[in-house]
Amino acid sequence: MKLINVIKQNGQSISVYGGLIACLILFTIFPPLRGENLWTAAKLSILMSDVIVLALLSVGAIFIYSLGSMDISVGKQVGVYATIMVVMGNRTGSMVPGILICIVIAIVIAAINASAGDLLNIHPIISSLVFMMVLGGISSIVYNTIGSRNVSLRTVDYSIFKNPWFMLAVLVIEFIVVAYFFNFTKYGKYARAIGANPAVARQCGINIMRYKIISYMFMGAAIVLASMFQMGYTGSASDATGTGFEMNVMVALILGGMPLSGGMKSRVVYAVVGALTFSLLNVGLPMMGAQPNQVFIIKGLIFLVVVLLTSRKASGVLPR
């Protein structure tokens, strides 16, 4: 009975970590039968490059997902920021001007995304949808002006962004910083309270708009950071850079155990676990012979199962 109670109380954590462990075991045992090996330097390099950007974005997204919201302009922001960094890097010979411009833009977008919902009485996802389309249009204009679908960084050494130890160090630092603010300061506590029940949070005197803006700014900083590694891994950017990241972040967080409605059950570790699981599926499934379209179907089915197992209310229905 004690074991059953432990399983019931920790069912979500067991399913989440169990899924990650199952992926590691599965992709360690079966790919060698086809002449593939996950634990080679080449495959681990691919896995690390896939994990780092997604994990950086997912960790930064914890704040806004704990609000019960999401930002679907993430992918377009990554594409535009990577382009700015490359273009400014070529013109100035330094990454600093491009990064500073991206930080300013990210702050402005974060402030508008966070406040538009309350000011205009619309769901915050609507404003992020608008930014997704606007940034997509700006990207198209830039690349049409350039006359090419991609630009390469020529005047700056970007090899540091491909160093796996540097990648890991940056991710660990971001995780520690976000975990500290999320778990040990009022910023994380109030974000979870707003996600759990915004009406009660307002009655308790929490300035909801203020903490929404701060939450989105954490996300904005993470997007700029992730854009640096997305651009730096290949030393280039294109009109397709960042495509799909908004959905990848959502899927990674859900795979990691993040509740769709946010609230008090939100955890920073969910982002890392989910990003690693998602990236393992991206790298491991093709090693087992799955075709690209089959990989999407398999990940979709896994996502559906995880949502049904981890995001249902006691009444048996999904959250808002």
Side-chain angles (χ1 to χ4, degrees):
M1 289 297 294
K2 289 184 177 181
L3 179 59
I4 295 176
N5 290 333
V6 170
I7 293 175
K8 287 182 178 180
Q9 293 173 1
N10 301 279
Q12 181 171 340
S13 297
I14 292 173
S15 63
V16 168
Y17 290 106
L20 175 58
I21 294 171
C23 285
L24 286 171
I25 294 173
L26 183 68
F27 298 139
T28 298
I29 294 176
F30 289 99
L33 300 178
R34 304 183 68 254
E36 300 273 9
N37 189 344
L38 177 64
W39 304 104
T40 61
K43 293 297 182 184
L44 288 176
S45 177
I46 295 173
L47 179 62
M48 176 61 77
S49 65
D50 194 80
V51 166
I52 187 66
V53 175
L54 183 57
L56 288 171
L57 290 172
S58 299
V59 170
I62 283 293
F63 275 91
I64 63 171
Y65 273 78
S66 68
L67 295 170
S69 186
M70 62 182 67
D71 185 350
I72 61 173
S73 67
V74 170
K76 293 303 181 183
Q77 287 191 61
V78 170
V80 169
Y81 297 160
T83 300
I84 291 173
M85 291 176 191
V86 172
V87 172
M88 293 303 297
N90 287 336
R91 290 191 175 185
T92 65
S94 171
M95 295 289 296
V96 175
I99 293 172
L100 292 177
I101 292 173
C102 292
I103 291 173
V104 172
I105 297 173
I107 290 173
V108 172
I109 291 176
I112 296 175
N113 273 338
S115 59
D118 290 338
L119 294 177
L120 302 178
N121 197 27
I122 59 175
H123 196 284
I125 197 173
I126 301 300
S127 61
S128 70
L129 176 62
V130 172
F131 273 115
M132 181 182 74
M133 293 187 290
V134 170
L135 292 172
I138 291 173
S139 179
S140 296
I141 292 172
V142 169
Y143 284 100
N144 286 337
T145 303
I146 294 173
S148 173
R149 294 190 63 184
N150 61 78
V151 288
S152 298
L153 191 61
R154 300 185 301 272
T155 60
V156 180
D157 181 13
Y158 55 88
S159 59
I160 185 66
F161 294 106
K162 296 189 286 186
N163 186 311
W165 293 110
F166 182 67
M167 292 181 183
L168 183 60
V170 171
L171 177 58
V172 170
I173 291 172
E174 186 199 44
F175 178 85
I176 292 173
V177 171
V178 172
Y180 171 75
F181 280 98
F182 193 73
N183 295 318
F184 301 108
T185 71
K186 61 184 179 182
Y187 303 110
K189 184 188 298 182
Y190 288 173
R192 296 195 297 274
I194 293 169
N197 195 316
V200 172
R202 186 176 286 108
Q203 290 297 319
C204 291
I206 296 175
N207 187 328
I208 291 181
M209 186 180 296
R210 176 186 177 187
Y211 288 99
K212 280 186 176 180
I213 291 174
I214 292 172
S215 297
Y216 273 84
M217 284 185 177
F218 272 102
M219 181 65 189
I223 295 174
V224 174
L225 190 60
S227 301
M228 293 168 59
F229 284 92
Q230 178 66 25
M231 175 278 306
Y233 189 72
T234 60
S236 64
S238 73
D239 57 355
T241 298
T243 300
F245 272 136
E246 59 280 347
M247 292 303 297
N248 291 350
V249 169
M250 183 181 71
V251 174
L253 286 171
I254 300 302
L255 285 177
M258 186 73 179
L260 283 171
S261 56
M264 305 310 292
K265 291 185 178 180
S266 304
R267 302 287 185 274
V268 181
V269 70
Y270 292 163
V272 178
V273 174
L276 185 54
T277 303
F278 186 85
S279 297
L280 278 170
L281 291 172
N282 277 341
V283 175
L285 289 173
M287 291 171 60
M288 295 180 66
Q291 300 301 313
N293 58 333
Q294 294 172 331
V295 172
F296 283 112
I297 293 173
I298 294 171
K299 288 193 296 187
L301 292 174
I302 293 173
F303 174 68
L304 177 61
V305 171
V306 172
V307 168
L308 293 175
L309 289 177
T310 65
S311 299
R312 296 175 69 87
K313 292 182 178 179
S315 59
V317 298
L318 289 173
R320 68 181 186 277

